[in-house]
Amino acid sequence: MKVITVKNQLEGAKIGLDIVSEKMAAGAKTFGLATGSTPVEFYNQIINSDLDFTDKTSINLDEYVGLDGSDEQSYRYFMSQHLFNEKPFKANFLPNGKAADLDKEVKAYDEIIDAHPIDLQILGIGQNGHIGFNEPGTSFDVTTHVVDLTQSTIKANSRYFANEADVPKQAVSMGIASILKSKTLILMAWGYEKAEAVKGMIEGEVTESLPASVLQQHDDVIVIIDEAAASLLN
Ligand code: GLP
């Protein structure tokens, strides 16, 4: 893992943009994208750049079960607002949280990932060390699957909803095995509330109890963190 510590999100987002730009120059065609507050400034940097994504494909990590793409809390809506409306891609894939048959949906999503190998995957990290919606205890071997969200994730994500009770209890998420297939991964984290998860990810043992620790087994991971998120590192 290459760890880059920056002063703030803006500096981190600019480094992220430089990496995207290098990878595009080297022929990257498919980008794995994440939602959450973490990549918002990074997406702003992309929007304000002159990079052209009209022949690129994006594949997002996850989507809430039960929310339609037009729902303001859905990740499809988030991505449109924060990136896709301003930077058109050739294709934008996200799981369909409204699929009538979720088993079929997860298989179809795996086929999409297989057909479009991810050149660069962007990741955030949950306070409990989750990546995508792969909660602690998820097997490292799973590909796309339906996840029961933990109470701590529901609570953390409730800030985007009117009530905690409105937060969906399930999501469709790329699995750890799917995420690890990406050629290069960038994980970003900002703030003290991520410091413990970041420490476990970088310095702890590789364990399914802290899903992000699996990134130690991938040979091209760039971690971009601010000083607060880095504050517990040795
Ligand atoms: C969600 C998403 C993750 C994200 C995490 C952290 O649960 N499924 O992809 O990395 O939360 O969110 P934030 O960036 O808002 O801290």
Side-chain angles (χ1 to χ4, degrees):
M1 272 184 191
K2 181 175 174 190
V3 180
I4 304 175
T5 305
V6 294
K7 285 223 148 31
N8 51 43
Q9 278 190 55
L10 180 61
E11 201 183 306
K14 285 181 177 164
I15 293 174
L17 176 69
D18 288 344
I19 298 170
V20 170
S21 165
E22 273 165 35
K23 296 290 175 193
M24 280 172 80
K29 288 205 277 288
T30 305
F31 294 85
L33 300 178
T35 50
S37 55
T38 303
V40 168
E41 182 52 39
F42 167 70
Y43 294 148
N44 278 337
Q45 292 293 317
I46 290 182
I47 288 171
N48 294 324
S49 75
D50 54 10
L51 294 178
D52 177 8
F53 288 85
T54 52
D55 65 344
K56 311 296 177 204
T57 297
S58 72
I59 306 186
N60 262 78
L61 286 167
D62 45 17
E63 179 60 284
Y64 286 118
V65 168
L67 299 191
D68 184 76
S70 60
D71 190 308
E72 289 185 19
Q73 311 299 344
S74 73
Y75 283 168
R76 163 79 65 181
Y77 189 90
F78 175 99
M79 289 307 301
S80 300
Q81 292 296 309
H82 290 281
L83 185 63
F84 302 154
N85 288 348
E86 305 292 331
K87 272 287 175 194
F89 283 64
K90 183 169 75 177
N92 298 123
F93 294 106
L94 279 93
N96 174 9
K98 287 285 268 186
D101 184 338
L102 286 173
D103 285 339
K104 249 197 202 154
E105 178 60 20
V106 301
K107 287 195 188 91
Y109 210 63
D110 278 339
E111 283 164 17
I112 290 171
I113 298 165
D114 287 343
H116 304 86
I118 296 174
D119 294 297
L120 180 63
Q121 174 69 53
I122 305 302
L123 294 171
I125 183 169
Q127 291 175 32
N128 61 7
H130 73 245
I131 47 177
F133 264 135
N134 293 284
E135 296 282 25
T138 308
S139 159
F140 289 159
D141 299 329
V142 298
T143 55
T144 307
H145 60 300
V146 178
V147 178
D148 293 325
L149 301 178
T150 63
Q151 201 48 46
S152 77
T153 297
I154 291 173
K155 196 169 188 315
N157 289 5
S158 66
R159 65 191 192 276
Y160 296 112
F161 293 80
N163 303 294
E164 199 171 309
D166 297 340
V167 184
K169 306 285 179 286
Q170 287 188 311
V172 174
S173 180
M174 260 192 219
I176 303 275
S178 339
I179 293 172
L180 290 181
K181 281 189 213 155
S182 309
K183 277 195 205 117
T184 303
L185 299 105
I186 298 180
L187 183 142
M188 300 185 201
W190 324 123
Y192 288 108
E193 62 277 18
K194 300 292 173 69
E196 213 168 307
V198 164
K199 185 179 173 62
M201 166 178 74
I202 298 173
E203 294 177 352
E205 59 167 327
V206 176
T207 164
E208 288 174 356
S209 318
L210 200 148
S213 64
V214 77
L215 298 176
Q216 292 176 30
Q217 295 178 345
H218 191 287
D219 63 7
D220 194 3
V221 177
I222 304 158
V223 175
I224 307 175
I225 45 180
D226 66 5
E227 285 164 3
S231 58
L232 295 178
L233 293 176
N234 286 329

